[in-house]
Amino acid sequence: MAISLLRSLTLKQAIHAILAAFVIGLAITAVEFGWTATRERAIALDRIGEVAMLMDGAATTAAWTLDRNLGEQVLDGILAVRTAGWAEIRLDNGTVTSRRTRPPTEQTLVQRTAQAMLFVDEPVVERALYPLDTRRGRQPFAHLRIGVDTAEAADGFLDYAARTLLVGLLRNLMIGLAMAVVFHRLLTRPLVRIGHAVARIDPERPLGQPLPMPRGHADDELGYVVARFNETLGQLEREHAELRRMATRCTLTGLANRALLIDRLSHAIALAGRSRGRLALLYVDLDRFKRINDSLGHTVGDALLCRVAERLSETVRRSDTVARLGGDEFVIVLERVTDADEAAAVAGRLLDALATVTLVEEHRVHIGASIGIALHPEDAADGQSLMRMADAAMQVAKADGGGRYVFYTRDMTDRAMARLRLEACLREATAQRGFELVYQPKIDATGGRLTGFEALIRWRHEGAMIPPMEFIPVAEDTGLIIDIGAWVLDESCRTAARWALDHGPVPIAVNVSARQLADPAFAELVEATLARHGTRPELLEIEITETVIMKDVRHHLPTLNRLRALGVRIAIDDFGTGYSSLAYLRQLPVDVLKIDRSFVTDLPHAPDIASTVIGLAQRLFLSTVAEGVETVEQQRWLAEAGCNCLQGYLISRPLSADAAEAMVMGAFARAEGMALTA
C-alpha cells in the first residue's frame, strides 16, 4: 500500500515537472512573441521607408509634372513590395494625383487576431517631395504616402509564431523530460528506496533496520533528512523500551507487574503441559509491613520494598519470575519443580532471607513474610485459579501468626467461599440494620449493686445466631465495622437516655474497634450521637482493647483526650493480654481497667496477675472490672482483693433489651425501698 502510494506520488512528481517546464516555456514563448511582434512591426515600417526613399525621385517627377501615368507606374512599383498595402501621391493642397490600393484578401479569425496584436492602428510611412526647381526654395510641395499591409505582416508573423511555438513545445517537452529524469535520479529514486526501507521498519525495534544513506546525498538535504530520521528512530526505540518496561514492570522495584506475571505464568503453564512437568506459585505477603510503613514513613517503606525485591530475586533462579502485585504482596513462579518438597525448600530459603535484620535508611528493620504455595497441575490448571489458591494459602499462613509457609488444600477454597458468602450477607445486614443488642450487667463486687451494662452485638441470620467471633473480623477487614459500630453507639446511647428518663441513670459500655478509633471523626461522631439522644456523657463508657490502644498511642491520644473532655468514661478491655507500657498508661485518659477473663478463670488458685492489675489500678486511681466471673470463689476473692465491679455468667448472662430494662427497674425499685426503710 505504501509503495503503490509512493509510486503514484513519483508519477505525479514527474507530471508536475513536465507541467512546470511547459509553463516556464510558454512564459518564455509569450515574451518572444511580444518581442517578435514589435520587431515585425519595425521591420515592416523600415522596409516601407526604404521603398519610399527609392521611389522618391520618380514620385517627385510625377507629382511636379502632374503626370498621372507616371505616378501610377510609381505606385504600382511600390505595391510590388508585399508589405505595402496602398500608396498615394498627395499635393500640399490636398489633391491626390495618384493612388493605388492592394485588393483585400479574406482573413481568418487567427489572422485578424494577429493583425490586431501587431498593429493597433494602420501604420503609414510618409515622405516629403521637394520641387525640381530649386528657385522655389526647399519647401515640400507634395508627399508620398505608403500604408503598411497589416494582413501581410500578420501572415508573416503567424508563420514565424507557428514555427516558434512548435520549436518551443518540443523544447519544453525535452526540458520537462530532462527535469523528470533528473528528479527521478536525484530525488524520486532515493525517496522510493527510503520508502521501501521505512516499510521494512519493525515497530517493536525501530532501530533494527535504519534507513540507508542514499549514495551521493550524505552532504545534502536528503542526507540530512535521513540522518535526522535515524536519530528519531533511535529515540523512538528508547522510548518504546521505556514504555514496555513501564507496562510490564513495577516502577518502584523493577520486578514484573501483574500483566507480565500473567503472561509468564500462562507461558510456564503451557510449557509444563507440553513437557508434563510441574510448577509452583508462591504468594508472599510481608508481615508487619503496615506498622513499619506507618511508623517510619513511606520513604522507608518504599526502600524496604526495594530491599525485599532484591532478596527475593537473589534467592530464586534466573529462570523463575518474581513479581510485585502491589503494596507488600509478591508472587514467585517456580518453573520445572520436581515436587512439593522443592517448593517448600525455596519457601524456606525465602523466609530465612527476609527474616534477617535489614538496615533501611539508617533504621534497623525486622521483617518476615507469610507464604502460600499452590502447585500445577495438582491444585489448578490455569494461572488465575493458581494465584487465587496460593492467596488463600497465604491468608491461612498469616492467620496462623505469619513467618511461615502453607500449602494450599481444598478446604481453603471452601472456607474462602464461605467467607465471601458471609461478607455478602453481612453487607446486607449492615444496610438493613439486621442486628440486635444484648446487655450483660456489671455489679458492685462487695454490695452486689447494679453498676452498668456492657452492650454486645448479636446477628441472627437465616434463623441461626452467628457468633461475633465469626463476623466481627470480617467486618473489620471489609470496613463494615465503621457502620456497625456507629449503629451500636447510636442504639446504646438511645437506650441509656431512655432508661435514665424512665428509671434512673445506668452507664452502658460500648466496644470500639481499631478502625473506629483510628477515624479522626470518631470523637465528633460520639458527641453528635450523645446530643441527638440527649444522653449524659457519663452514661457512656468506651471500651478499647489493650492491644488496639497501645498499638499507636501517639495517634490515638488526641481522640481519647477529646472523648474524656466530653465526659465519656474510657476503659481498657482485656488488660494484661497485650504489651502495655506503664509510662504510657499514666499518660492515657483512662478510667477503668478490665481484667481479662483468662486471669479470672485461674482464681483463686493463681492470683498473681489479677492481684497485680488490681494493685496497679488502685495506685493509678482507676476502677477495675473483672470479666468472666463464674464461681462464688472467684467473686469472693475479687471482692476481698479490692476489685470494684464484676461481670460474668455468675451475675447474669447477656440479656435482651427488655430483660435488661426490667433489671434496671428492679434495681432502682429496691434502692427506693431501702431508702424508705431507712
Side-chain angles (χ1 to χ4, degrees):
M1 179 67 181
I3 299 304
S4 61
L5 179 61
L6 189 58
R7 288 173 178 171
S8 175
L9 293 175
T10 302
L11 178 60
K12 183 182 294 185
Q13 185 184 59
I15 294 174
H16 286 171
I18 295 175
L19 289 177
F22 268 93
V23 170
I24 295 173
L26 289 175
I28 295 174
T29 302
V31 173
E32 289 180 349
F33 282 178
W35 177 80
T36 302
T38 303
R39 189 191 64 180
E40 288 294 324
R41 178 185 176 91
I43 290 173
L45 291 175
D46 289 344
R47 187 173 299 168
I48 295 300
E50 292 176 356
V51 172
M53 183 178 64
L54 291 174
M55 294 299 180
D56 178 88
T60 301
T61 303
W64 183 258
T65 61
L66 298 177
D67 187 344
R68 183 178 294 272
N69 292 329
L70 179 59
E72 290 178 356
Q73 291 177 4
V74 171
L75 297 182
D76 289 338
I78 292 174
L79 292 182
V81 179
R82 296 180 57 185
T83 54
W86 57 270
E88 67 177 11
I89 299 173
R90 182 186 294 271
L91 299 178
D92 285 345
N93 58 7
T95 302
V96 177
T97 61
S98 300
R99 181 180 178 85
R100 282 284 187 269
T101 303
R102 189 184 301 279
T105 58
E106 186 176 353
Q107 292 182 309
T108 63
L109 178 61
V110 176
Q111 289 173 324
R112 290 196 299 270
T113 303
Q115 184 177 351
M117 290 175 55
L118 286 172
F119 306 101
V120 179
D121 54 2
E122 185 178 16
V124 177
V125 175
E126 188 171 323
R127 186 172 181 82
L129 302 178
Y130 296 93
L132 296 175
D133 189 357
T134 57
R135 292 176 297 177
R136 292 181 178 268
R138 293 300 296 170
Q139 293 296 325
F141 72 98
H143 288 82
L144 175 62
R145 301 179 72 245
I146 305 173
V148 177
D149 189 351
T150 57
E152 181 65 24
D155 290 342
F157 172 74
L158 287 176
D159 291 340
Y160 172 81
R163 292 192 301 271
T164 303
L165 183 60
L166 179 60
V167 172
L169 290 175
L170 293 175
R171 177 191 60 197
N172 296 341
L173 180 61
M174 295 301 294
I175 293 174
L177 292 175
M179 290 177 61
V181 171
V182 171
F183 274 121
H184 178 73
R185 291 183 59 84
L186 298 182
L187 186 60
T188 304
R189 187 165 62 181
L191 286 177
V192 170
R193 291 176 178 173
I194 292 173
H196 283 285
V198 171
R200 292 194 300 269
I201 292 176
D202 184 2
E204 296 298 323
R205 296 180 60 254
L207 202 57
Q209 290 181 316
L211 299 186
M213 181 63 68
R215 184 179 302 175
H217 291 277
D219 298 328
D220 61 12
E221 293 82 356
L222 193 59
Y224 175 81
V225 170
V226 171
R228 297 292 81 76
F229 192 87
N230 285 333
E231 290 182 5
T232 303
L233 288 180
Q235 182 179 358
L236 186 62
E237 180 160 344
R238 291 190 294 271
E239 291 178 354
H240 277 190
E242 180 64 17
L243 287 175
R244 286 193 296 269
R245 190 192 67 80
M246 293 175 61
T248 59
R249 295 287 175 176
C250 168
T251 56
L252 176 63
T253 63
L255 298 178
N257 62 7
R258 182 181 292 271
L260 183 57
L261 169 67
I262 295 299
D263 180 72
R264 290 189 177 178
L265 181 58
S266 300
H267 181 269
I269 290 176
L271 183 63
R274 289 193 296 269
S275 61
R276 298 183 181 275
R278 286 180 173 179
L279 66 87
L281 189 141
L282 280 61
Y283 205 114
V284 183
D285 186 89
L286 302 183
D287 298 332
R288 300 180 301 278
F289 176 76
K290 185 177 185 301
R291 186 182 306 169
I292 295 172
N293 200 45
D294 292 342
S295 59
L296 300 181
H298 293 288
T299 301
V300 175
D302 290 346
L304 178 59
L305 290 174
C306 293
R307 188 67 56 83
V308 168
E310 292 175 2
R311 292 193 176 181
L312 293 178
S313 300
E314 293 169 354
T315 306
V316 300
R317 298 167 299 185
R318 292 179 61 87
S319 60
D320 299 326
T321 299
V322 182
R324 179 183 176 225
L325 296 185
D328 59 340
E329 294 182 339
F330 300 83
V331 170
I332 300 174
V333 179
L334 302 178
E335 299 188 38
R336 298 185 299 277
V337 296
T338 55
D339 51 26
D341 292 340
E342 183 179 351
V346 175
R349 291 198 300 270
L350 291 173
L351 292 176
D352 293 340
L354 296 178
T356 57
V357 177
T358 302
L359 185 65
V360 180
E361 298 289 334
E362 300 181 355
H363 296 278
R364 296 178 65 84
V365 177
H366 295 261
I367 195 71
S370 301
I371 302 177
I373 307 174
L375 301 175
H376 169 82
E378 291 92 333
D379 297 330
D382 62 278
Q384 293 290 348
S385 300
L386 202 64
M387 289 179 60
R388 187 169 62 253
M389 293 171 181
D391 185 15
M394 182 274 294
Q395 297 292 344
V396 174
K398 186 170 284 292
D400 290 342
R404 67 192 66 198
Y405 62 84
V406 173
F407 280 90
Y408 169 79
T409 58
R410 293 294 177 185
D411 63 322
M412 293 179 183
T413 300
D414 297 337
R415 290 202 300 269
M417 295 303 296
R419 177 186 169 91
L420 288 175
R421 289 193 295 269
L422 179 64
E423 180 181 334
C425 296
L426 186 60
R427 290 185 182 278
E428 182 179 356
T430 303
Q432 299 177 357
R433 299 291 188 263
F435 304 102
E436 60 181 280
L437 288 183
V438 296
Y439 301 88
Q440 187 169 29
K442 294 183 286 187
I443 65 171
D444 180 71
T446 55
R449 178 178 56 85
L450 179 67
T451 59
F453 289 89
E454 180 181 0
L456 303 171
I457 190 170
R458 294 292 184 265
W459 178 28
R460 189 179 301 277
H461 177 62
E462 296 180 350
M465 188 66 70
I466 308 298
M469 293 302 294
E470 289 187 15
F471 72 85
I472 291 298
V474 177
E476 285 273 7
D477 293 342
T478 59
L480 294 173
I481 195 66
I482 298 294
D483 292 336
I484 295 174
W487 177 82
V488 171
L489 178 65
D490 185 83
E491 187 69 13
S492 300
C493 289
R494 185 184 65 81
T495 301
R498 183 169 58 81
W499 287 354
L501 183 63
D502 295 343
H503 311 292
V506 179
I508 296 180
V510 175
N511 290 282
V512 173
S513 71
R515 279 182 175 262
Q516 288 176 278
L517 191 61
D519 186 0
F522 178 68
E524 296 178 3
L525 174 66
V526 172
E527 184 177 7
T529 305
L530 292 173
R532 182 166 59 253
H533 297 292
T535 308
R536 289 155 50 187
E538 61 269 17
L539 298 182
L540 177 64
E541 184 175 293
I542 299 295
E543 288 191 6
I544 310 166
T545 61
E546 181 186 14
T547 303
V548 169
I549 202 171
M550 293 300 177
K551 201 170 193 179
D552 194 349
V553 175
R554 296 183 183 276
H555 179 71
H556 298 323
L557 195 57
T559 300
L560 296 175
N561 286 328
R562 177 78 181 276
L563 293 173
R564 185 66 178 276
L566 293 175
V568 175
R569 290 168 58 84
I570 299 174
I572 298 182
D573 197 10
D574 300 337
F575 188 79
T577 61
Y579 44 88
S580 62
S581 166
L582 296 182
Y584 278 131
L585 187 60
R586 294 177 61 184
Q587 299 175 20
L588 291 172
V590 177
D591 302 286
V592 181
L593 297 183
K594 297 193 71 174
I595 306 173
D596 186 69
R597 66 179 65 246
S598 62
F599 305 135
V600 175
T601 302
D602 296 334
L603 296 177
H605 307 293
D608 296 342
I609 296 180
S611 60
T612 300
V613 173
I614 293 172
L616 176 64
Q618 290 174 345
R619 286 173 174 78
L620 295 176
F621 303 101
L622 303 176
S623 298
T624 51
V625 177
E627 295 184 298
V629 178
E630 298 182 357
T631 66
V632 176
E633 289 79 6
Q634 294 170 350
Q635 178 187 19
R636 185 179 301 116
W637 187 93
L638 288 166
E640 293 175 354
C643 182
N644 300 104
C645 298
L646 308 178
Q647 178 182 349
Y649 283 180
L650 178 64
I651 291 87
S652 174
R653 289 179 175 272
L655 305 173
S656 65
D658 293 338
E661 184 174 5
M663 188 174 184
V664 171
M665 185 168 54
F668 279 98
R670 286 192 299 272
E672 291 178 0
M674 293 176 60
L676 291 174
T677 302

